[in-house]
Amino acid sequence: MKNIMLIVLDGLGDRPNQILSGKTALQAAFRPNLNHLIREGQGGLMTPIAPGIRAGSDTSHLSLLGYDPEKFYSGRGPFEAMGLGLEVRPGDVAFRANFGTTDNNGVVTDRRAGRSAEGTSLLAKSLNMEIDGVRFFVREGVEHRAALVMRSQGLSDKITDSDPHETGKPVKRVMPVSPEGEFTADVLNRYLDAARKILMDHEANKNRRKSGKPVANELLLRGPGKAPDLMDFSEMHGMKGAVVAGIPMITGIGGLLGMHTLKPRGSTGTLDSDFTSKLLAAADLTKKYDYVLVNVKATDVAGHDGDAIAKRDAIERIDRAIGEMMENVDQDLVIAVTGDHATPCSLKDHSGDPVPVLFRSRGALTDRSQFFDEFSASAGMWRIRSIDVMNIVKEMADRSEKYGA
Ligand code: ZN
Ligand code: ZN
């Protein structure tokens, strides 16, 4: 049996860029190591989730890890909360949240509290509490954003938002949408009443008033989701797994699956991340773990910025780091490289385009693949979905069981 490394270049896929003479960032990049890997191995196109679906990073990573999001995904709340660094455990109910501004009558005057993060870290801390055995955890995000996690036995996400989603409307009472949501709605309303009192008198809000910013006196909640109780990765796949990532949402997913998680020093989840130390840390883990997923976020960040040059440059640096890493891994390691979805610079958002994929395993079949990019990938043998990636790498690593007699 061989060990496996899956390198996920987040938002890797691209479309033609004018500034790169009509090339994708990947096509334009000097990438000798990626090209070498695909020549030694197999290539093709990978469709995240299903054709035409614009995948999020959460659903796509679940799928790459062999967990079909159609069965296991329960809404963005828990994954957004993880993304802000909150721990999320199975059974927790999590929300996306905004710090908002209301007037004396509880009518929302600004759903985003001036888009200002001033003091929100202190405000969030002051909102961690326990009511009736239910623990509440709040973490601030960028600008006005935040997340809330509720933890207790028997919580339900069958409840409505408190966010009226419009200014000029009063904050809504949370209502159950089915009987199982009754307790959760009730305790949450009591929590929001308590939170309102704390926010109103909070020093951070006095400071916001002084500096002319709208007060952040309401936590507006939306998109409740119950964190799924997923089968542990080791049980699901019979492998010891690890996740290496610079961003908390991806390590959070690993944590939810009971995998070892690592955010290497110098890994920032941005364009200035230290790709070499990240990939070397991942290479090191392949000595102890059967399966290691590494997420590199920089490609997605550049895509969202619409910066094709930055995306190309990031790929060149990642390629160099892959070259260094290859000198430090067991020659029998099965290596796969793909994206979790495309983030075309021209779109500044995720698209449903397929992304190139490569698999390299000593002694396995090879194909006509010569270059690792969106166009050349069609010379390769594979047309797959993200959910297939795990089966393919397991098979290459002699870890799959026979289907049938
Ligand atoms: Zn992504
Ligand atoms: Zn993205």
Side-chain angles (χ1 to χ4, degrees):
M1 282 196 289
K2 300 173 180 175
N3 287 356
I4 299 163
M5 180 190 280
L6 171 63
I7 302 173
V8 182
L9 305 181
D10 207 300
L12 173 68
D14 201 9
R15 292 179 183 173
N17 294 292
Q18 230 170 6
I19 198 164
L20 300 176
S21 311
K23 290 183 174 170
T24 67
L26 187 53
Q27 275 184 304
F30 180 62
R31 54 191 192 292
N33 294 298
L34 285 164
N35 288 340
H36 182 73
L37 281 174
I38 205 168
R39 280 174 204 151
E40 280 193 343
Q42 312 166 357
L45 286 164
M46 193 277 290
T47 296
I49 315 295
I53 301 296
R54 288 189 174 195
S57 293
D58 47 2
T59 46
S60 190
H61 275 80
L62 278 173
S63 174
L64 288 166
L65 289 162
Y67 294 77
D68 186 351
E70 291 248 8
K71 283 186 222 146
F72 299 113
Y73 192 65
S74 56
R76 289 170 70 167
F79 297 93
E80 298 267 346
M82 288 178 210
L84 298 186
L86 278 169
E87 190 200 354
V88 178
R89 299 185 193 163
D92 287 355
V93 170
F95 301 79
R96 308 167 70 197
N98 280 4
F99 280 104
T101 311
T102 62
D103 66 12
N104 294 334
N105 302 315
V107 171
V108 176
T109 54
D110 185 345
R111 280 190 63 241
R112 299 181 180 89
R115 287 193 179 273
S116 163
E118 187 185 319
T120 54
S121 153
L122 291 170
L123 294 170
K125 275 198 191 79
S126 72
L127 299 180
N128 296 331
M129 64 179 98
E130 183 170 337
I131 300 176
D132 259 4
V134 180
R135 294 168 70 193
F136 294 84
F137 306 91
V138 179
R139 183 69 63 86
E140 75 287 356
V142 294
E143 297 182 331
H144 53 282
R145 296 187 188 90
L148 169 73
V149 169
M150 300 174 73
R151 180 167 304 148
S152 179
Q153 300 291 315
L155 293 175
S156 165
D157 58 3
K158 302 286 181 270
I159 53 175
T160 59
D161 297 351
S162 75
D163 186 344
H165 296 274
E166 271 179 79
T167 50
K169 293 254 173 82
V171 176
K172 288 183 166 168
R173 297 300 283 177
V174 176
M175 303 293 286
V177 294
S178 79
E180 63 177 291
E182 276 170 20
F183 169 72
T184 310
D186 174 61
V187 73
L188 186 55
N189 281 320
R190 282 184 282 146
Y191 169 76
L192 289 173
D193 289 340
R196 217 163 276 136
K197 289 202 183 89
I198 292 168
L199 292 175
M200 190 162 60
D201 300 326
H202 201 287
E203 202 63 33
N205 266 330
K206 289 181 187 152
N207 291 335
R208 285 175 69 106
R209 252 186 225 106
K210 266 185 229 151
S211 63
K213 301 226 165 58
V215 290
N217 62 350
E218 182 71 37
L219 193 64
L220 294 165
L221 304 176
R222 66 186 191 282
K226 187 164 178 165
D229 196 354
L230 300 173
M231 189 188 276
D232 262 18
F233 183 87
S234 56
E235 208 180 319
M236 181 94 162
H237 297 300
M239 298 190 284
K240 263 171 70 183
V243 169
V244 181
I247 53 166
M249 186 169 79
I250 305 299
T251 46
I253 289 173
L256 200 62
L257 303 179
M259 300 171 79
H260 175 74
T261 60
L262 175 71
K263 179 184 187 292
R265 196 190 289 259
S267 169
T268 60
T270 63
L271 287 162
D272 59 15
S273 194
D274 181 348
F275 304 128
T276 304
S277 66
K278 172 182 264 182
L279 286 169
L280 289 177
D284 209 40
L285 285 177
T286 60
K287 290 165 190 147
K288 275 188 288 185
Y289 290 87
D290 306 315
Y291 173 99
V292 177
L293 181 148
V294 200
N295 171 281
V296 180
K297 188 68 178 169
T299 32
D300 183 57
V301 173
H304 283 287
D305 290 346
D307 191 340
I309 304 272
K311 192 167 180 178
R312 177 200 64 192
D313 292 351
I315 292 167
E316 294 191 348
R317 288 171 49 225
I318 293 162
D319 185 86
R320 278 202 294 278
I322 288 175
E324 282 186 58
M325 182 199 80
M326 288 305 296
E327 288 166 18
N328 291 280
V329 294
D330 188 307
Q331 279 310 299
D332 271 336
L333 184 69
V334 174
I335 295 178
V337 184
T338 189
D340 55 341
H341 50 76
T343 309
C345 299
S346 56
L347 206 64
K348 297 186 179 183
D349 202 350
H350 302 186
S351 74
D353 298 317
V355 292
V357 64
L358 74 81
F359 299 98
R360 176 267 196 194
S361 172
R362 204 152 69 147
L365 274 178
T366 57
D367 62 15
R368 292 173 180 279
S369 298
Q370 288 290 314
F371 304 102
F372 184 66
D373 66 63
E374 294 84 343
F375 291 84
S376 314
S378 35
M381 63 194 262
W382 292 109
R383 299 293 178 274
I384 54 174
R385 297 184 186 194
S386 42
I387 195 78
D388 303 317
V389 171
M390 182 59 85
N391 286 333
I392 294 171
V393 292
K394 277 168 86 172
E395 205 283 326
M396 286 185 154
D398 304 322
R399 290 175 178 276
S400 56
E401 280 163 32
K402 194 182 282 175
Y403 179 57

